[in-house]
């Protein structure tokens, strides 16, 4: 039995996912593709030439929500957009008995009420492994720990490849402004680096992890330390880049102070019974988090069972092939659930 795929957001991750699924996902058949340009839908499946011609052959009048309403066979709705407008389509897909997979964090980081509704509708048909740590097994690890009766004591980690790169550079004597400029040139930052330096992307990941643990909270409940001064907050992006060097001496001092104490600076996310935060910390250079270099991510999970020797997941926390593969793996898990062959 084949499983139909309706896929919204054919950008970097979406295009790679399409490639991976059509190459390796023998029982997954694309029935719909949707992007800003419009949609493409065929009730009996799209041909490979139709898929490869997208978005040139997209039709403005074909909308994902209407196509979901036409689905009768088992299907998976995939969201690889970066927008906060896909929640209604997801809810409709789940109500119709479909499964939902996503790399997009936005549907998961709105109100607690939306999270609750999505999970009440979705149950085990809702997958978002790549929303934290891209292809790394973070969400599934937490869910397995919880399902087997373990208790999470504390989660700490670094979930921003961009900030990881910047603070690793600082250790080698590079100035803050040079590190930011290099990260931008390497394509690690958003077009406006303040989108990374604000800490909000990491805060969204803290919100998702906290909610997976069953906590009820909103994004404003996460304490966020942003990495630039208020004076630089309202500048145009090109002026921000010109003036970011005004932060150099402050960060050079922090890096020097940290080094003298045997520490390094890391932008750390913490989830514990008393804390939901993202902030710059000086951590021992010899610690697991201190030993992280460059854009890699790490999550250190302390539980009742993994207390003295925490469970650690570490590796690339971004990247198109690994993220697409993570969504693909979620699609394969969703396929098993829809076929009634998967218990968790
Ligand atoms: N790249 C990574 O390493 C990584 C890792 C983990 C998670 N993610 C998440 O994965 C998602 C996709 O990332 P990406 O790098 O592939 O981003 P991207 O290249 O910007 O892709 C997003 C796609 O969604 C499309 N889109 C925008 N508005 C839409 C709408 N109203 N309806 C349908 N499609 C719409 C965009 O079209 P336009 O380009 O025409 O606007 C674009 O094709 C993001 O949420 C990102 O945070 C990415």
């Amino acid at each position: 039995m084949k499983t139909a795929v309706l896929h919204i957001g054919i950008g970097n991750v979406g295009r790679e996912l399409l490639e991976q699924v059509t190459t390796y996902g023998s029982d997954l058949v694309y029935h719909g593709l949707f992007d800003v340009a419009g949609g493409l839908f065929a009730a009996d499946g799209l041909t490979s030439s139709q898929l490869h011609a997208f978005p040139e052959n997209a039709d403005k009048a074909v909308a994902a929500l209407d196509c979901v309403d036409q689905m009768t066979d088992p299907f998976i709705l995939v969201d690889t957009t970066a927008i906060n407008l896909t929640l209604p389509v997801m809810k409709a897909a789940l109500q119709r008995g479909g499964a939902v997979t996503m790399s997009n964090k936005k549907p998961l980081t709105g109100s607690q009420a939306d999270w609750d509704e999505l999970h009440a509708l979705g149950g085990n048909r809702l997958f978002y492994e790549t929303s934290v740590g891209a292809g790394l097994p973070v969400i599934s690890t937490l869910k397995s720990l919880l399902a087997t009766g373990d208790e999470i004591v504390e989660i700490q980690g670094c979930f921003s490849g961009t900030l990881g790169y910047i603070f690793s550079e600082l250790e080698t004597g590079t100035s803050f402004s040079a590190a930011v400029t290099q990260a931008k040139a390497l394509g690690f930052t958003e077009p406006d680096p303040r989108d990374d330096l604000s800490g909000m992307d990491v805060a969204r990941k803290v919100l998702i992890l906290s909610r997976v643990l069953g906590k009820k909270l909103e994004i404003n409940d996460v304490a966020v330390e942003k990495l630039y001064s208020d004076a630089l907050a309202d500048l145009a992006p090109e002026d921000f880049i010109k003036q970011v060097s005004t932060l150099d001496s402050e960060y050079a001092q922090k890096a020097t102070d940290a080094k003298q104490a045997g520490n390094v600076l890391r932008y750390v996310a913490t989830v514990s019974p008393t804390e939901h935060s993202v902030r710059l910390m000086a951590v021992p250079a010899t610690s697991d988090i201190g030993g992280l270099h460059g854009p890699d991510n790490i999550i250190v999970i302390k539980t009742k069972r993994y207390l003295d020797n925490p469970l650690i997941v570490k590796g690339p926390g971004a990247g198109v092939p690994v993220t697409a593969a993570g969504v693909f793996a979620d699609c394969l898990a969703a396929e098993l659930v829809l076929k009634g062959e998967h218990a968790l």
Side-chain angles (χ1 to χ4, degrees):
M1 177 77 169
K2 303 280 186 191
T3 303
V5 175
L6 303 180
H7 183 174
I8 314 176
I10 315 303
N12 295 316
V13 173
R15 179 68 56 190
E16 170 70 16
L17 176 64
L18 171 61
E19 201 56 44
Q20 291 185 10
V21 169
T22 48
T23 308
Y24 304 109
S26 54
D27 283 339
L28 297 173
V29 180
Y30 267 88
H31 284 226
L33 281 182
F34 310 90
D35 210 288
V36 260
L40 189 63
F41 179 75
D44 49 358
L46 294 163
T47 63
S48 125
S49 55
Q50 283 176 307
L51 292 173
H52 284 108
F54 191 84
E56 282 71 37
N57 54 355
D59 182 345
K60 265 279 175 217
V62 176
L65 191 55
D66 298 336
C67 299
V68 162
D69 287 341
Q70 293 178 45
M71 295 309 291
T72 47
D73 293 333
F75 73 100
I76 302 168
L77 176 79
V78 183
D79 176 5
T80 53
T81 70
I83 55 170
N84 59 5
L85 301 171
T86 50
L87 206 51
V89 196
M90 287 184 179
K91 288 179 185 173
L94 294 170
Q95 270 160 340
R96 217 166 165 80
V100 169
T101 68
M102 70 191 93
S103 61
N104 182 9
K105 285 181 285 294
K106 302 269 170 67
L108 302 167
T109 53
S111 70
Q112 179 69 46
D114 277 338
W115 170 280
D116 290 342
E117 190 184 354
L118 202 58
H119 284 73
L121 288 170
N124 64 353
R125 289 177 288 122
L126 184 61
F127 298 83
Y128 42 86
E129 181 62 81
T130 54
S131 62
V132 181
L136 300 178
V138 172
I139 305 283
S140 52
T141 301
L142 281 179
K143 285 189 172 176
S144 295
L145 290 170
L146 294 171
T148 53
D150 208 344
E151 284 169 26
I152 310 296
V153 175
E154 183 190 72
I155 297 171
Q156 278 204 317
C158 295
F159 302 126
S160 166
T162 313
L163 300 180
Y165 173 84
I166 290 171
F167 287 106
S168 291
E169 283 300 297
L170 240 60
E171 265 168 65
T172 67
T174 308
S175 68
F176 185 73
S177 59
V180 170
T181 309
Q182 281 165 23
K184 186 169 158 57
L186 288 166
F188 289 167
T189 68
E190 295 295 325
D192 183 343
R194 282 170 296 187
D195 290 344
D196 300 288
L197 299 172
S198 70
M200 285 313 294
D201 188 59
V202 185
R204 281 192 200 96
K205 293 173 185 174
V206 162
L207 183 64
I208 293 170
L209 293 176
S210 303
R211 286 175 170 176
V212 167
L213 299 189
K215 292 163 180 268
K216 303 280 183 197
L217 72 171
E218 305 291 345
I219 191 68
N220 292 339
D221 297 320
V222 180
V224 185
E225 179 182 350
K226 71 174 175 352
L227 296 169
Y228 53 88
S229 56
D230 289 341
L232 301 185
D234 296 326
L235 297 177
E238 58 278 15
D239 293 331
F240 173 76
I241 284 293
K242 281 183 205 148
Q243 294 193 33
V244 69
S245 59
T246 56
L247 302 173
D248 284 352
S249 58
E250 176 190 339
Y251 281 108
Q253 189 61 53
K254 283 183 178 171
T256 304
D257 292 348
K259 193 172 181 180
Q260 278 169 0
N263 293 332
V264 290
L265 298 176
R266 294 287 178 264
Y267 196 71
V268 179
T270 303
V271 177
S272 77
T274 54
E275 188 173 347
H276 314 95
S277 68
V278 291
R279 62 194 166 98
L280 191 62
M281 290 174 72
V283 298
T286 52
S287 65
D288 295 308
I289 290 181
L292 192 73
H293 288 291
D296 276 3
N297 281 197
I298 189 170
I299 180 164
V300 180
I301 307 171
K302 268 189 205 163
T303 74
K304 197 177 65 179
R305 293 180 188 138
Y306 291 92
L307 196 55
D308 299 328
N309 194 8
L311 192 163
I312 295 172
V313 181
K314 182 179 162 187
V320 171
V322 291
T323 307
V327 183
F328 185 14
D330 275 354
C331 290
L332 294 176
E335 192 186 2
L336 291 178
V337 170
L338 291 174
K339 288 179 177 170
E341 294 172 9
H342 194 258
L344 264 184

